[in-house]
């Protein structure tokens, strides 16, 4: 902490050091920054000559001078270093002009690299907060950006799209495989169910053909759904009724045949169109 007089010279400091007393600091940004008694002035970051770490100064105007605090930002690197974002993802913090002040790679901070050329950082510096996709070094990335209000820093978290959505892609493959297996199982089940349903109908069709040929010997249809069983029962009743009627008709025809054949008078049947005799009874044959 430094306390400066109205001319920018250091009056007091902590920790105390004789060499800094009355040192002129009027050329520093924190001295000539606009005076605002209601809010501190946050400077741009710089690499401290004493610590080698990014340092930020915060100045507050006094009645005759300024009070300046210097913040060592080495703790930011410790926070960033703890974050694990896949194999190629990372988090970083930049100051308000895009200079990186916290990064997993300390050399990036030491060399004062500026990330303002990245679309994600550029949008964050303009005030955007949220997620977006962008391209860098011929690689598609997806990232999030948020702002730190007092200092106007931005915090970015970024990761290659392929890596970020690897889990989603794997889940999609698993779901796709599951859907295919489920569809195959459903199709197989439907075919088995269809065959099981059509089997008794096929048997009933075969029996109807046998009946049409005059073969009334039926065989039992295997039991199945209730509707199919009821249809088979109705079919059996129909066959029994047809068989009974044919037997009654046969007996009636035989009775009529006996009457015609054994009556003492001649009876014949003649085709009217061709005048051809079709049938004679015994009396007609004898005559």
């Amino acid at each position: 902490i430094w306390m400066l007089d109205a001319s920018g010279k250091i009056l007091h400091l902590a920790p105390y050091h004789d060499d800094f007393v009355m040192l002129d600091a009027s050329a520093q940004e924190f001295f000539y920054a606009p005076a605002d008694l209601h809010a501190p002035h946050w400077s741009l970051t710089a690499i401290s000559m004493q610590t080698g770490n990014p340092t930020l100064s915060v100045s507050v105007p006094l009645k005759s001078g300024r009070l300046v605090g210097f913040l060592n930002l080495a703790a930011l690197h410790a926070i960033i270093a703890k974050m694990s974002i896949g194999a190629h993802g990372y988090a970083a913090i930049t100051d308000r002009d895009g200079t990186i002040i916290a990064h997993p790679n300390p050399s990036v901070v030491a060399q004062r690299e500026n990330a303002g050329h990245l679309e994600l950082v550029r949008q964050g510096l303009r005030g955007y907060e949220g997620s977006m996709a962008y391209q860098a070094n011929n690689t598609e990335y997806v990232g999030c950006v948020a702002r730190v209000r007092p200092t106007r820093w931005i915090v970015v978290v970024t990761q290659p799209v392929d890596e970020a959505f690897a889990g989603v892609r794997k889940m999609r493959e698993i779901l796709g495989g599951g859907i295919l297996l489920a569809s195959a199982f459903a199709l197989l089940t439907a075919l088995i169910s269809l065959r099981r349903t059509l089997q008794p109908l096929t048997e009933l069709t075969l029996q109807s053909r046998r009946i049409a040929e005059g073969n009334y010997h039926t065989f039992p249809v295997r039991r199945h759904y209730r509707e199919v069983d009821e249809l088979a029962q109705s079919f059996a009743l129909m066959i029994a009724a047809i068989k009974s009627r044919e037997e009654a008709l046969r007996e009636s025809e035989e009775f009529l045949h006996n009457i015609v054949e054994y009556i003492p008078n001649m009876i014949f049947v003649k085709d009217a169109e061709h005048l051809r005799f079709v049938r004679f009874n015994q009396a007609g044959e004898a005559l």
Side-chain angles (χ1 to χ4, degrees):
I1 298 176
W2 292 354
M3 181 178 289
L4 309 180
D5 62 12
S7 64
K9 293 181 179 179
I10 302 174
L11 298 179
H12 306 284
L13 70 157
Y16 181 79
H17 197 288
D18 287 337
D19 294 340
F20 284 86
V21 176
M22 299 306 295
L23 185 68
D24 188 1
S26 60
Q28 302 298 322
E29 177 195 5
F30 52 74
F31 181 75
Y32 58 80
D36 186 352
L37 296 178
H38 301 287
H41 172 73
W42 301 80
S43 72
L44 293 172
T45 58
I47 300 298
S48 171
M49 299 298 294
Q50 287 78 17
T51 64
N53 294 319
T55 303
L56 173 75
S57 66
V58 184
S59 62
V60 178
L62 302 176
K63 290 183 178 180
S64 59
R66 281 183 178 270
L67 184 66
V68 182
F70 297 92
L71 304 179
N72 189 330
L73 304 180
L76 295 180
H77 173 73
I79 296 173
I80 294 297
K82 292 179 181 179
M83 302 182 66
S84 177
I85 311 173
H88 300 92
Y90 64 91
I93 303 175
T94 76
D95 62 14
R96 64 174 183 261
D97 71 345
T99 301
I100 300 174
I101 59 177
H103 192 277
N105 185 358
S107 63
V108 173
V109 178
Q111 295 172 11
R112 303 282 292 162
E113 292 189 13
N114 191 288
H117 63 284
L118 296 178
E119 182 65 21
L120 181 66
V121 176
R122 184 162 58 249
Q123 294 297 332
L125 294 175
R126 292 175 180 174
Y128 171 80
E129 289 187 293
S131 302
M132 63 178 295
Y134 66 99
Q135 189 172 18
N137 299 324
N138 298 323
T139 303
E140 291 289 336
Y141 288 86
V142 60
C144 300
V145 59
R147 292 172 60 85
V148 181
R149 302 299 177 189
T151 58
R152 290 186 292 166
W153 295 344
I154 62 170
V155 180
V156 297
V157 178
T158 184
Q159 191 175 21
V161 170
D162 292 341
E163 186 176 275
F165 291 98
V168 176
R169 187 166 51 252
K170 184 176 180 180
M171 182 61 66
R172 183 171 56 195
E173 293 173 355
I174 293 174
L175 289 177
I179 291 173
L180 289 177
L181 290 177
S183 300
F185 179 76
L187 179 61
L188 180 61
T189 303
L191 291 176
I192 294 175
S193 177
L194 181 63
R195 181 176 180 181
R196 185 183 175 193
T197 302
L198 294 179
Q199 185 65 33
L201 297 179
T202 303
E203 294 175 358
L204 290 176
T205 302
L206 179 60
Q207 291 204 37
S208 65
R209 292 177 181 174
R210 291 164 59 90
I211 293 170
E213 295 171 357
N215 186 354
Y216 296 104
H217 176 71
T218 61
F219 48 87
V221 178
R222 66 186 66 187
R223 296 187 61 82
H224 204 266
Y225 299 112
R226 180 176 58 84
E227 294 80 4
V228 177
D229 294 340
E230 292 178 355
L231 178 62
Q233 293 176 4
S234 300
F235 196 78
L237 292 175
M238 181 188 68
I239 294 174
I242 294 175
K243 186 176 181 181
S244 176
R245 290 173 183 172
E246 283 202 352
E247 290 178 355
L249 180 61
R250 191 180 305 109
E251 292 177 356
S252 177
E253 287 182 348
E254 185 177 354
F255 178 72
L256 180 62
H257 173 75
N258 290 334
I259 292 177
V260 172
E261 284 296 319
Y262 296 107
I263 197 171
N265 298 322
M266 181 183 70
I267 296 177
F268 63 89
V269 178
K270 192 174 184 180
D271 183 359
E273 183 179 357
H274 300 93
L275 302 178
R276 180 172 57 86
F277 290 99
V278 178
R279 179 174 181 177
F280 275 102
N281 64 350
Q282 292 183 15
E285 291 176 0
L287 180 60

